[in-house]
Amino acid sequence: MTRGVRGATTVPKNEATVIIENTKILIEEMVSKNGIDPLEVSHVFISVTKDITATFPAKALRKLTGWTYVPVMCMTEIDVPNSLKLCIRIMMVVNTDTPQHKIDHVFHNQAVNLRPDLTEKVGE
């Protein structure tokens, strides 16, 4: 079974080192919280808002051990008026037996406002 693991973050500025570092931190937490083995990852989609142009956030994933052969694609998010700026979103598709409601989605910085319902667990 495949499951999507969501993650998102914002960056303070459109600068390559900032984009890569924030993306790396986000991916590492997504992997840690969900016990993800890169050999079980089908593919990763990374979208960015139109104001992120300094580098491909996928470069962050390539800095992690074991992720060389995981297919990754970057794309631009739909430019909705008044939407969150300087935002990086990740959809990691993973082979797992974990039920959907047990997946830990990870949101950092201003991106916590995107889907608070995904970060709150039933009973908390």
Side-chain angles (χ1 to χ4, degrees):
M1 164 90 41
T2 59
R3 298 277 187 224
V5 181
R6 286 196 57 174
T9 191
T10 55
V11 292
K13 57 186 169 181
N14 181 32
E15 184 177 290
T17 55
V18 173
I19 293 165
I20 291 171
E21 182 60 23
N22 278 269
T23 304
K24 182 175 178 281
I25 290 167
L26 177 63
I27 292 169
E28 287 173 335
E29 186 171 342
M30 292 170 68
V31 167
S32 174
K33 281 191 165 188
N34 292 287
I36 295 171
D37 177 344
L39 295 174
E40 296 299 321
V41 177
S42 169
H43 57 281
V44 179
F45 291 125
I46 302 174
S47 68
V48 298
T49 49
K50 71 174 187 169
D51 46 8
I52 295 180
T53 59
T55 192
F56 294 104
K59 288 183 176 183
L61 194 132
R62 298 294 175 224
K63 293 181 176 289
L64 302 175
T65 304
W67 290 81
T68 302
Y69 300 108
V70 175
V72 181
M73 183 175 285
C74 291
M75 61 203 77
T76 305
E77 188 72 28
I78 298 169
D79 188 24
V80 175
N82 303 313
S83 62
L84 192 57
K85 304 295 182 208
L86 294 167
C87 186
I88 301 164
R89 292 172 174 88
I90 297 176
M91 177 62 73
M92 187 179 298
V93 181
V94 180
N95 294 312
T96 182
D97 293 326
T98 303
Q100 275 186 327
H101 69 280
K102 296 279 187 179
I103 298 291
D104 283 318
H105 304 283
V106 180
F107 295 84
H108 290 171
N109 304 319
Q110 294 301 310
V112 298
N113 298 309
L114 291 173
R115 291 291 303 269
D117 59 309
L118 290 183
T119 58
E120 297 171 2
K121 297 294 178 189
V122 175
E124 286 187 336

